[in-house]
Amino acid sequence: FVQPGPDTGSRSFVPLHNAGDAVVHGWDVFHGVSLQEGHNRVSLIVWAKPLVDASDGKTSWYNALGAAGDVDAAYRLGVEAEECRDIQTALRWYAVAGEEGHWMAMSRIGRLCRDENGLAWSQRAASAGWADAQVDLGDAYQQSGDHAAAVALYRAAAEQQHPA
C-alpha cells in the first residue's frame, strides 16, 4: 500500500495480480505490504547513492533539499541526526518538517521532548490521525491520570489497527 496521509484511511492498495508484477517508488513515499492468505512476498531493494555516501552511511542530497524546505528531506535529516545522537540537530530538522505538517516529524519531537512543547507536538500529530502519536499522547494522559482521554486516544489508534 501507499499512504499519503497520517490516517490509515488514506491508504491505497496497489494490486499485484501476475507473477513478475512489481512496484517502484521514490524514497519519500510512506508505504507497506499486506499479503493475502497463501501469498508470499519477495522483495528486491535497490538503493542508488553516491559512493562516498554509501561508504559513510550518509545521504548528502538531503542537505540541499532540506535547506530548500523539502519536508521529507528535513524529516530524514532529523532521523540521521537522531541516529547519531545529535538531538538538537534532529529537533531542528524535525521542526522544519513538522511546521509544514509532516506528522512523523511532529511525533518524533513529541517523543524527544517530554515537556509541554513535546506534548503539543504529539497533540498535533495525533490530531492529524497518526496512530503512533495517538498512543504516545494516550500514554501521557494515562500517566497524568486522565484515563478517559487516554482511552479515547487508544481507541482511535486501535481503529487504525495499531498494535498497542
Side-chain angles (χ1 to χ4, degrees):
F1 64 85
V2 293
Q3 183 175 323
D7 189 285
T8 57
S10 70
R11 285 185 181 167
S12 297
F13 289 88
V14 179
L16 303 174
H17 299 290
N18 301 308
D21 282 356
V23 175
V24 178
H25 60 78
W27 61 272
D28 57 346
V29 174
F30 187 67
H31 63 281
V33 175
S34 294
L35 295 175
Q36 294 178 344
E37 188 174 328
H39 287 79
N40 295 312
R41 174 184 178 184
V42 176
S43 296
L44 171 65
I45 301 170
V46 178
W47 292 88
K49 56 173 31 178
L51 182 58
V52 68
D53 283 359
S55 63
D56 292 344
K58 299 286 183 182
T59 47
S60 62
W61 64 89
Y62 289 150
N63 294 323
L65 290 170
D70 183 290
V71 295
D72 295 311
Y75 173 74
R76 291 299 309 158
L77 286 165
V79 169
E80 283 184 6
E82 187 177 351
E83 288 171 351
C84 293
R85 294 181 170 42
D86 184 351
I87 302 306
Q88 292 308 311
T89 299
L91 287 169
R92 190 185 78 222
W93 282 117
Y94 289 147
V96 168
E99 288 294 344
E100 295 300 321
H102 196 287
W103 59 89
M104 288 184 281
M106 294 176 196
S107 183
R108 292 304 311 149
I109 295 170
R111 287 182 176 180
L112 290 172
C113 297
R114 292 296 183 176
D115 58 12
E116 291 301 315
N117 182 47
L119 284 175
W121 281 103
S122 292
Q123 179 64 54
R124 288 177 67 181
S127 294
W130 186 235
D132 286 348
Q134 291 168 338
V135 170
D136 290 346
L137 195 58
D139 291 346
Y141 282 132
Q142 180 75 14
Q143 291 171 1
S144 73
D146 189 344
H147 303 295
V151 167
L153 286 159
Y154 293 148
R155 281 193 179 129
E159 289 172 3
Q160 298 188 63
Q161 287 76 48
H162 192 282

